[in-house]
Amino acid sequence: EARGSIAAFLFLVGTQYGQTEDAPGLKLQKVGGKGLAQMDNPETGPMFGPDALVVPFERDDPKLARSKLGSYYERMPDGGNSLFGGRGAVQLKDMKVYHGVWEEGEYVPFTDAEPFALY
C-alpha cells in the first residue's frame, strides 16, 4: 500500500546534523509532491519514497538499509544524498518501530484512506 503526504518527513537524531542548541535533530521534508511518501507492502519492509529510506527485510540480508535522498525527500544540508553519510547502504545495529495503540472501537486515523491503485 502506498500513501501520499506532502507533510511526510524523515527525522535524524545523533548525527553531525542531529542535536543542536536550536533543535533536537534534523527534519528532511517530502519533496516533489505528495506521491509515494511511504509504502508498506506485505512482501517487503518499510519504504519512505522508493529510495529515501528502504529497509527491505531480505532473507539473505535482514539488517540491510538503503538510502538515496533528493527525489522524494530533501537532501542533507551539505548536499549529501544519503541518510548514512557517504554510504548508500548500511547494516542496521538496531531498529525501533513506533506505532499507535487504539482502544476497541476508537477511530484509527487514515483507515479510510484509499490505497494506491490503478483502475
Side-chain angles (χ1 to χ4, degrees):
E1 174 175 354
R3 293 185 184 259
S5 173
I6 194 65
F9 62 90
L10 297 171
F11 196 79
L12 277 73
V13 177
T15 68
Q16 65 183 0
Y17 308 105
Q19 296 168 305
T20 66
E21 290 182 17
D22 298 330
L26 175 67
K27 183 178 178 180
L28 300 175
Q29 297 179 323
K30 176 78 175 73
V31 296
K34 69 177 187 173
L36 301 176
Q38 189 272 333
M39 289 164 283
D40 184 17
N41 298 316
E43 58 279 351
T44 64
M47 298 171 65
F48 295 86
D51 52 7
L53 176 59
V54 178
V55 185
F57 294 133
E58 295 173 347
R59 181 179 299 274
D60 297 338
D61 200 358
K63 294 184 178 183
L64 175 72
R66 296 188 301 262
S67 174
K68 181 180 173 197
L69 300 171
S71 320
Y72 290 85
Y73 287 85
E74 64 185 334
R75 289 177 177 253
M76 302 298 277
D78 64 1
N81 71 341
S82 176
L83 295 170
F84 311 125
R87 298 169 293 173
V90 297
Q91 293 291 317
L92 297 175
K93 293 179 183 176
D94 186 29
M95 181 172 170
K96 295 179 181 165
V97 177
Y98 298 92
H99 63 91
V101 177
W102 291 269
E103 296 293 326
E104 182 70 34
E106 184 178 355
Y107 173 72
V108 179
F110 304 109
T111 53
D112 56 351
E114 183 177 341
F116 175 77
L118 297 175
Y119 295 100

